[in-house]
Amino acid sequence: MTSLHDLSDISAVVVTSDHVKKQLEKLTSQRLVLLTVRKSVNKKELEHFASNISGVANSMFEEMLYHQEAQVLSRLAEVLVPRTPAPPRLLKEASMLVQARKAVLESGDWLTAAQVAELAGLSTRNPSAQPNKWKKLGQIFAIHHNGVDYYPGYGLDPDNSFRPYKDLATIITIFDGHKKDWGMAYWFLSANSFLGGKRPQDLLSKRPDRVIQAAEDEVQAIAHA
């Protein structure tokens, strides 16, 4: 008799009823299909019939596996996908945030710590040391993108060895608690009605007093919003 050790290798066999009785105690399957035939059926006919039964059984098993795998994939997808769809408002805000950050990064006004150190003639052994110190002291700000800090080039004074403009620290203080790094980056880049439609970053070196006033007006608008 051919034993069935693996469900993926389904086969049909021809045995006597006495042999089946002995083998039933050894089987671990909970469900069995039992076919009986008359004694008049010869061995060749039985083997042919068993072969057909084997083909049908294999097809049924493959179909069962297919449906089980589909169910597993469906359940896995349910676990990985958020329980509820993102609300339209959230999707809109996320899209606006992406566009705003893209505009900031593409403005071409941002420098790494190494680039700042090179412009300012700082030590190249640890180029991020001095820019980080300026940031901690509130003399300049930086945006963090993909693990890198970027400093605004418009915040550096070329007439003072590319040190931060002194008035920039005043503006950062005004925005304290209202705007952080990216928020200030958006504000400096955007056209400002208080400045006659000009961008604060374009006037920082020429009319810092006006930019300071615009920052104060922005904070007042935020407070009354």
Side-chain angles (χ1 to χ4, degrees):
M1 174 181 178
T2 302
S3 299
L4 301 182
H5 298 292
D6 191 336
L7 284 176
S8 64
D9 186 20
I10 296 176
S11 62
V13 295
V14 179
V15 296
T16 64
S17 59
D18 290 336
H19 195 100
V20 169
K21 291 177 183 179
K22 295 178 181 179
Q23 294 297 319
L24 283 176
E25 297 179 355
K26 301 179 182 180
L27 295 177
T28 58
S29 302
Q30 296 180 348
R31 296 181 181 181
L32 303 173
V33 177
L34 180 64
L35 301 176
T36 61
V37 296
R38 300 187 309 275
K39 292 183 178 180
S40 59
V41 178
N42 61 47
K43 184 177 180 180
K44 185 175 181 180
E45 290 175 332
L46 282 175
E47 290 178 347
H48 180 70
F49 178 70
S51 177
N52 291 337
I53 290 296
S54 177
V56 172
N58 275 306
S59 297
M60 292 175 63
F61 182 69
E62 290 176 0
E63 184 71 14
M64 181 181 66
L65 280 181
Y66 173 80
H67 287 295
Q68 286 181 345
E69 290 177 357
Q71 290 177 357
V72 171
L73 289 175
S74 178
R75 290 175 183 174
L76 182 59
E78 289 178 358
V79 172
L80 297 177
V81 173
R83 290 183 177 272
T84 57
R89 176 190 59 79
L90 183 59
L91 292 175
K92 184 178 180 180
E93 290 178 358
S95 177
M96 291 173 62
L97 179 61
V98 169
Q99 293 300 320
R101 290 197 173 192
K102 185 178 179 181
V104 168
L105 293 171
E106 291 180 349
S107 66
D109 296 309
W110 301 93
L111 304 169
T112 64
Q115 291 171 327
V116 172
E118 184 178 355
L119 283 173
L122 305 174
S123 172
T124 56
R125 291 185 179 180
N126 188 4
S128 62
Q130 189 59 48
N132 277 336
K133 184 178 180 180
W134 290 339
K135 184 176 66 172
K136 290 180 180 178
L137 293 173
Q139 296 175 352
I140 197 170
F141 69 95
I143 56 175
H144 195 72
H145 179 65
N146 285 342
V148 180
D149 280 342
Y150 291 92
Y151 297 84
Y154 55 79
L156 302 173
D157 184 358
D159 295 328
N160 187 27
S161 301
F162 290 95
R163 268 55 178 174
Y165 283 106
K166 294 181 178 180
D167 294 296
L168 179 57
T170 302
I171 297 170
I172 292 174
T173 300
I174 293 171
F175 281 135
D176 185 32
H178 300 282
K179 290 184 184 295
K180 293 186 178 181
D181 306 334
W182 281 97
M184 284 190 287
Y186 304 146
W187 184 79
F188 273 103
L189 179 65
S190 303
N192 193 294
S193 59
F194 189 91
L195 299 174
K198 295 182 179 180
R199 302 185 306 177
Q201 67 184 53
D202 296 330
L203 295 180
L204 181 60
S205 62
K206 305 172 184 176
R207 293 295 308 274
D209 57 321
R210 291 291 292 159
V211 179
I212 290 173
Q213 292 172 357
E216 293 173 338
D217 181 73
E218 177 75 8
V219 170
Q220 290 178 2
I222 294 174
H224 291 89

